[in-house]
Amino acid sequence: MKTFIGHEKQRLYLTRLLIAFLIVFTTQYSNAQNTTIKILGTVSDNITNELIPGVNILIKGTQTGSVTNIDGKFSLTAPQGSTLVFSYIGYENYEVLVSNQQNIEVRLKIIAQSLDAVVVIGYGTTTKREVTGSISTLKSEKLSPGSYSNAAGLLQGKVAGLSIINPNGSDPMANYQMILRGTNTLTSGQGPLVVIDGVAGADIKDINFQEVESMDILKDGSAAAIYGTRGTNGVIIITTKRAKSGRTTIEYQGLATVQVAPRMVKNLNASEFAEVINTYAPDRVGSIYDGNTDWFTAVTRENPFSQKHNVAISGGTEQFSHRTVINVEQNEGLLKNNNVKKILAKTNIQQIAVNGLLTINYNAFYTVRSYNPANYSIFYQSFIHNPTEPIYDPADEISGGYNRVIGVEYYNPVAMLKEQTNDGETDDFGGNIRASLKIPFIKGLKWDNFISYEKSRWESNIYQSRYYPSVIGSNGVAKIENGASSNMQYESSFNLNKTFGHNTIQALAGYTYQELGYHSSSMTNKGFDTDLFGTDNIGAGTALTLGTGKMYSHRESSKLISFFGRVMYNYDEKYLLSASLRHEGSSRFGNNQKWGWFPAVSLGWRINEEDFLENIAWINDLKLRVGYGATGNQEFANYQSLIMMGIAGKFYYNGAWINTYQPVSNPNPDLQWEKKQEINTGIDFSLFNNRIGGTIEYYYRQSTDLLYNYNVSVPPYLYTQMFTNVGSISNRGIEITLSAIPIQTNDFRWSTDVTFSKNSNKLIKFSNEEFKNGTYKVGWLSGAVTAFSQRMEEGKSLGTFFGPVWLGVDETTGKDTFKNQDANGKVPEEQWEPIGNAYPDFVLGWSNAFTYKQWDMSFALRASVGGDILNTYRLYYENFSGLGLQNILQSQLDNLKFTGDAIYSSKYIESATFLKMDNISMGYNFSIKSKYIAKMRVYGAAQDVFSLTKYKGVNPEVSMSGLAPGIENMSYYPVTTGLTFGVNVTF
């Protein structure tokens, strides 16, 4: 018994000892887990070693964190064993495990210079090292600061082969023209497909340019073929700033812009006008009045002012993050009463659920614009108007007290400005959801579903009072127009990423459905008792009751269905392959040609990974690429393959007038997309520790089955024209992109980018045995000089000017002389020769960025060498013929020997070569030590700074789209220099 009791005491003692040990161990373990460490550190750039302010530091899995101050330093307390995540725009995320360290030095790696940088491709992403197609990527830090009418301006001069032109000067409603690698079509759309955050065909005006995170341009067929019938002209994929986890931050971006130094056509002032008439046209002295009017000044603002404000709120956890943006803009145009106001609200929310398997992205936006469009004809009338005429004539009650001189299309521009109201409003709204599910039982497989809906509604109200010059006698004219467009899109795709050994495969298979809708209506009435109501009482006019009013409505829709797939293969980071195939059907095509196949394949060889180059340290990357792709173009009007009927007239029957109808188009069941096949070869390289890099590319693309309207006989056809596929056209060219960091020290860094592109265009075929067009003439000039200025001729480039060759001025007669002229001084049209071409020989871009401590500076130059422009102002107004009723150019005073009439010829074809400074900016990053402000930057910028050119017209950058490029429009909007002051603050 004693022995038993002794054993029980020992066991109890051991049990208590064990429990005490466990308690102590558990307590110590718990204390170890709850031990926090105060960490100090700095964050710098891995290239320049410069400290980076505003870097977000987050304890992984929490909302707790900090941010580096203006000196790049941070301080925070974190649990031992936790992970710190460092993130900053333009740099790769960096993670640090917290152990016993109390000081951390973090060096972030610039994404743009990393071969692992993300490149957005069709329906997915890849890395820079794996790209085998021709793709240009621009991150936000490469985009020039300033003020733009839309985000397309950010790309100007930045991408080799991409032409970004604004032929409408400083109009706040101006849209940029975008042409990639030349003109590939005769009648279909010429601009690239724009994809914004996954929405194909999105309107670029519905995003704020300050919110652009990156732009990826798919240039060649192998990259763009995944978009099928919409990829012929390339694809621009825009990614806006997205929700990110981290502490809540508020970003404010504000800028104010004033316009100065407008470039206008130089005409005679009042004293010059009177002197020239008295000296060279004394028979027209009756055209000299007592006024001294600067018509241009009378219709323009002295210094138009614009302002833009952008507030972004973002933050959250890794499971739920958000970014919401409010953008407010108020823009004044150079022309009085020309204004645009915009309010944009946009939000992005990201949720991660099901233990990280499901990621959901929600996007929504709403934009309201109110605007007063510019009447470009006012600038034209300001130019041609007699400067000795006064603006007002109180005695003329019919014109409302405005001075009026009767002439063909000769109207008082001030009256045009003041006696018309033109108000418009557009509401754009939309949303989309993308759900990405990782399939748990198949590693690397992800299922994406994306649904999007966008709608745009617009209304325009135009009222011309009884004193508007061109409608005097109508007692006012009112017009209301409205309409809406919609874009519904659904996509479902599977993505597989697998790595085994040296092999990596990325596979994609998907389906997409898209439906576009559009409808519009308008009504016009005149004959009002009063102008007080404007368009608000349009039914009060008399035109409707008299049968002279107008009403119109229209509705259309189209559908696109596609199946697509792609396989990307990478062996040992050395040999690369990408192959894709799209099967697509469109409602726009004929019954026999609804569906088409669009294949693409491209190969890449990273030569620097070969053994024979492994010891050459100065080569960081050297890749050879070759690709082939077939794309299409379906950007033509709906219903062109069908018989469409139109009103032919009326007949009187049984006491009533009845409409009659007739065909207005021929059926074409074989109508199909324009086809383009393209071969692209390229070399990508990065040298000297990534200090120098670039791309050299050659491409050849041929578009066939071009669509055009051909004249046909009736019968056998139902209508006089047939819209069908006949022609073919080719473009070939060279593109070079170079990037370098010539100087890099602890305090100073200079980075530079150069782009070069040369494209040659040729119209191979335009007709066949059945469909022929006997003239091929385009570029019609009307008015005092009538002629077709260009021709489409097989074997030659589009945009080719044909006309008489000018030899000079006959000093005896004062008239122009021409090669092959007849006795009357005319050249028969069949003897006209090629006298110029609108397309440039090559285009250059040069962008530079400098940083010195807290200062930064950048500028961008762009040059277009070669090419020609028809200077229509010189053609019509560099002579004495119309002087008197109309004004003329000052340049006529330099050509006093010429006293003849204007005749279209090579005399008015001028070189379009120019050198422009598109943008220059300078900024300063303040050292602010505040618990409220994380960082602040102020900057000044100027746009359209100067243009060096021999061209004598308004602007050497005229419209290059369509079949008659290179002709300056006489109803123009002047270019101004925009001076911008901006501030960016992060709280």
Side-chain angles (χ1 to χ4, degrees), residues 98-114:
V98 177
S99 55
N100 294 318
Q101 73 271 47
Q102 293 182 344
N103 289 281
I104 298 177
E105 292 184 5
V106 175
R107 302 183 69 195
L108 296 184
K109 191 175 185 180
I110 298 177
I111 290 176
Q113 294 187 346
S114 170

Side-chain angles (χ1 to χ4, degrees), residues 555-591:
R555 183 179 294 271
E556 62 181 67
S557 65
S558 65
K559 296 179 180 179
L560 193 73
I561 299 175
S562 307
F563 301 89
F564 56 88
R566 178 176 59 221
V567 175
M568 299 173 64
Y569 174 72
N570 177 339
Y571 177 76
D572 199 24
E573 300 291 346
K574 188 186 301 183
Y575 307 115
L576 312 171
L577 166 69
S578 177
S580 67
L581 182 64
R582 185 176 181 112
H583 186 50
E584 186 165 79
S586 172
S587 62
R588 292 179 178 176
F589 305 145
N591 287 333

